[in-house]
Amino acid sequence: MRSYKILHYLAWSCIICLGCTTTQYTRQAALPPLPQNYAVKSDSGSTAAMNWKQYFKDTSLIRLIDTALVNNLDVMMAYQRIEVARSHVKFAKGQYLPFVTGGGSVGQQNYGEYTQEGVGNFDTNFSKNISESQHMSPDLKDFYVGIHASWEVDVWGKLRNKRKAATAKYLASVEGRNWVVTNLIAEIASTFYELLALDNELEIIQETIILQSNQLSIVETQKEAGRANELAVKQFEAQVLHSKGLEVEIAQKVIEAENKLNFLLGRYPQPIIRNNDHFTSEIPAQVLVGIPSELLNNRPDIKQAEHQLTATKANVKAAKAAFYPSFTISGSLGYHSFNPQYFISPQAVVYNIVGGLVTPLINQSAIKASFRTAKAEQLEAMYNYQKVVLNGYIEVYNQMVYMNNLNKIYKFKNEEVEVLTTSIETASELFLTGRATYLEIIVTRSAALQSRIELINIKKRQFTSLVNIYRALGGGWQ
């Protein structure tokens, strides 16, 4: 519950006031604390902590996910966003440290006799206070090499808070990558189970076409024997044509599902290796949902939102510090001479050190605008954090209820399939003995076919629900 307390703190005191520099905000509405338990059930542990290779049992699916984690374009882009954020952290750290530069210069000037510099140099050469080596010619040369340092003393923590903000954004980018991985694994698994379901549907349709074709042959024979009419033949023939149309339609869906997987794997279309038997024989994994507060540590999107909130808080402090004076120390050290013969000598050493204090006095509109922008972004980040936490809880809750209901639906649908399968055999026997019409055969077989396809879809929804709750709990990125 530590992370969630941020919401209540920000709700009361997230607005930093600087007199008339910004408008006072009233108390912002905050979500109540997370429930201690889910309304349906809670467990002592969470499946989210389980590695995805342990959660998914199908070896073909595991190989697909392994390939995607290496080749998926979204994952690659997420890694680059991490590199960008890491560079911003290094830049912010560099701002906090002194800037040291080195350089050198070589020059020559010729002063006219009737210029102030020319007269001064000419007169200086007659001075008894200088040696001959210090005499200057009309063509005045200039040689310099040295280092320069400048350091802004971070009295008010402006640079320190910018570094904190950059670090928090880097951590947010890491969690963003983890969330991409979680969603990628979930999408691959869902599409894979959809593909297995389509394969099983296609197999059922093909079996049905064979049975319907055999039934059509029987009716055609009965017509020749005068026991059936042309209408019965046409009805059975239409049923076969309808099933063949379904076969083509499902085959197209298989191609689309395969290519969706290939896209997620970052490769061009090719066959997906799979075992259709796993779909009917595999028992869905048992899911432990844990307790709601574990979402704060498991879900990458929640941790990402928390880091973003931390970054905006640091940005507000940095924007506030812009109203205060800035103190800068600068200095230089090097060799400076008009004669290269004496360039590297103690007498040519020059140095300086300066301390400066600068504070904004007039026209602070830009600073005020920057401060107000930082405050608005902080409030937006707070609301986003609330939204992500609320969404995570609701996703888990919905999937838990959905899984329980799907188990009941599957049980009823399975019994329905068994009843309709038996009724097909009964209707066929009655039809052969003349005690049932061909319409009863057609209606019974159509209902059985539809029921078997629906049973497969329910099984697919069960697997999809298991994938979704694993994702909702924040699993997959470990």
Side-chain angles (χ1 to χ4, degrees):
M1 299 300 293
R2 175 193 59 80
S3 301
Y4 201 76
K5 290 180 180 178
I6 296 174
L7 299 180
H8 300 282
Y9 170 75
L10 288 175
W12 283 99
S13 59
C14 67
I15 300 302
I16 301 174
C17 184
L18 291 173
C20 61
T21 61
T22 186
T23 304
Q24 287 281 358
Y25 285 82
T26 58
R27 180 180 184 272
Q28 304 298 319
L31 287 174
L34 270 172
Q36 296 296 322
N37 298 287
Y38 294 105
V40 181
K41 70 168 185 176
S42 294
D43 305 296
S44 58
S46 175
T47 301
M50 183 185 299
N51 185 275
W52 61 267
K53 289 188 177 182
Q54 298 173 320
Y55 188 77
F56 300 110
K57 306 299 183 182
D58 194 302
T59 55
S60 298
L61 175 58
I62 291 175
R63 284 196 296 269
L64 292 175
I65 295 175
D66 272 330
T67 302
L69 293 179
V70 176
N71 299 329
N72 181 265
L73 298 177
D74 288 328
V75 173
M76 291 182 180
M77 289 189 291
Y79 275 116
Q80 296 311 307
R81 286 192 290 270
I82 292 175
E83 290 302 317
V84 171
R86 183 182 286 116
S87 298
H88 288 166
V89 172
K90 292 181 179 179
F91 177 81
K93 287 182 178 179
Q95 295 284 95
Y96 190 69
L97 300 174
F99 287 88
V100 180
T101 58
S105 64
V106 177
Q108 177 175 329
Q109 285 183 303
N110 181 276
Y111 296 107
E113 294 182 3
Y114 296 103
T115 63
Q116 182 178 357
E117 293 82 1
V119 173
N121 292 341
F122 180 80
D123 187 62
T124 300
N125 290 334
F126 292 99
S127 174
K128 297 180 180 180
N129 296 325
I130 63 173
S131 63
E132 186 167 342
S133 62
Q134 294 175 308
H135 285 183
M136 292 180 287
S137 67
D139 296 327
L140 184 62
K141 297 178 175 57
D142 187 75
F143 301 91
Y144 174 78
V145 63
I147 59 174
H148 179 79
S150 177
W151 180 41
E152 180 178 352
V153 183
D154 194 25
V155 178
W156 315 111
K158 180 178 66 176
L159 300 178
R160 182 171 63 253
N161 282 299
K162 285 184 177 181
R163 185 179 63 179
K164 287 181 180 179
T167 303
K169 290 178 180 179
Y170 165 74
L171 296 175
S173 69
V174 173
E175 297 301 337
R177 175 261 175 193
N178 293 339
W179 189 234
V180 168
V181 170
T182 294
N183 284 284
L184 174 65
I185 291 174
E187 189 170 6
I188 290 175
S190 297
T191 306
F192 181 77
Y193 288 124
E194 178 184 357
L195 184 58
L196 294 185
L198 290 171
D199 288 340
N200 280 270
E201 285 185 36
L202 188 60
E203 185 178 343
I204 290 175
I205 293 295
Q206 291 169 345
E207 292 176 358
T208 302
I209 290 174
I210 294 174
L211 295 175
Q212 289 175 339
S213 299
N214 293 336
Q215 194 74 51
L216 176 61
S217 299
I218 293 174
V219 174
E220 288 175 339
T221 301
Q222 288 180 336
K223 176 191 172 185
E224 293 175 359
R227 295 178 55 192
N229 54 35
E230 182 66 16
L231 180 59
V233 174
K234 293 300 182 183
Q235 289 285 351
F236 278 99
E237 185 177 359
Q239 194 177 45
V240 173
L241 294 173
H242 175 73
S243 297
K244 289 183 177 180
L246 287 177
E247 180 184 18
V248 175
E249 184 177 348
I250 294 174
Q252 173 62 27
K253 291 181 179 179
V254 169
I255 296 297
E256 292 175 357
E258 285 186 325
N259 288 337
K260 182 179 179 180
L261 284 173
N262 284 318
F263 174 77
L264 294 174
L265 268 61
R267 66 190 189 188
Y268 290 98
Q270 57 183 274
I272 301 295
I273 301 174
R274 56 194 183 274
N275 188 345
N276 297 333
D277 296 335
H278 288 172
F279 183 77
T280 54
S281 61
E282 185 176 348
I283 300 175
Q286 297 298 316
V287 178
L288 301 177
V289 296
I291 56 178
S293 60
E294 290 179 340
L295 288 176
L296 303 178
N297 296 321
N298 292 331
R299 278 190 60 131
D301 60 331
I302 293 179
K303 293 195 288 185
Q304 181 184 25
E306 181 181 349
H307 289 309
Q308 289 170 343
L309 181 57
T310 303
T312 58
K313 184 178 179 181
N315 283 334
V316 168
K317 292 181 178 180
K320 176 186 175 183
F323 288 97
Y324 305 141
S326 60
F327 181 62
T328 304
I329 299 175
S330 61
S332 62
L333 174 66
Y335 292 96
H336 197 178
S337 174
F338 61 85
N339 191 332
Q341 181 179 355
Y342 307 108
F343 184 62
I344 307 297
S345 66
Q347 292 80 6
V349 174
V350 293
Y351 67 89
N352 70 73
I353 183 168
V354 178
L357 187 66
V358 178
T359 184
L361 295 177
I362 302 174
N363 192 11
Q364 297 183 359
S365 58
I367 302 176
K368 293 177 182 178
S370 177
F371 181 75
R372 293 192 182 103
T373 299
K375 292 310 304 177
E377 290 175 347
Q378 184 184 17
L379 283 173
E380 181 185 5
M382 181 188 72
Y383 295 140
N384 180 63
Y385 182 79
Q386 292 179 346
K387 176 184 174 182
V388 174
V389 172
L390 179 61
N391 179 67
Y393 180 88
I394 290 177
E395 281 185 355
V396 175
Y397 185 90
N398 286 343
Q399 291 301 324
M400 287 167 54
V401 176
Y402 190 44
M403 285 174 57
N404 293 334
N405 290 333
L406 280 177
N407 291 335
K408 298 176 183 177
I409 295 172
Y410 185 83
K411 178 182 177 182
F412 293 137
K413 184 60 67 174
N414 191 45
E415 293 177 358
E416 178 185 334
V417 169
E418 292 177 358
V419 171
L420 289 175
T421 301
T422 304
S423 65
I424 290 176
E425 299 173 358
T426 302
S428 299
E429 293 175 359
L430 293 174
F431 180 74
L432 292 175
T433 59
R435 290 182 292 175
T437 65
Y438 67 88
L439 290 176
E440 291 174 312
I441 292 287
I442 292 174
V443 171
T444 304
R445 191 175 295 280
S446 297
L449 174 61
Q450 184 64 30
S451 183
R452 292 180 67 186
I453 291 177
E454 289 175 355
L455 183 65
I456 291 175
N457 282 325
I458 293 172
K459 187 68 174 291
K460 179 192 72 175
R461 287 158 60 189
Q462 283 183 310
F463 279 108
T464 302
S465 180
L466 288 167
V467 172
N468 289 339
I469 197 170
Y470 184 63
R471 170 193 169 277
L473 290 169
W477 59 270
Q478 293 89 344

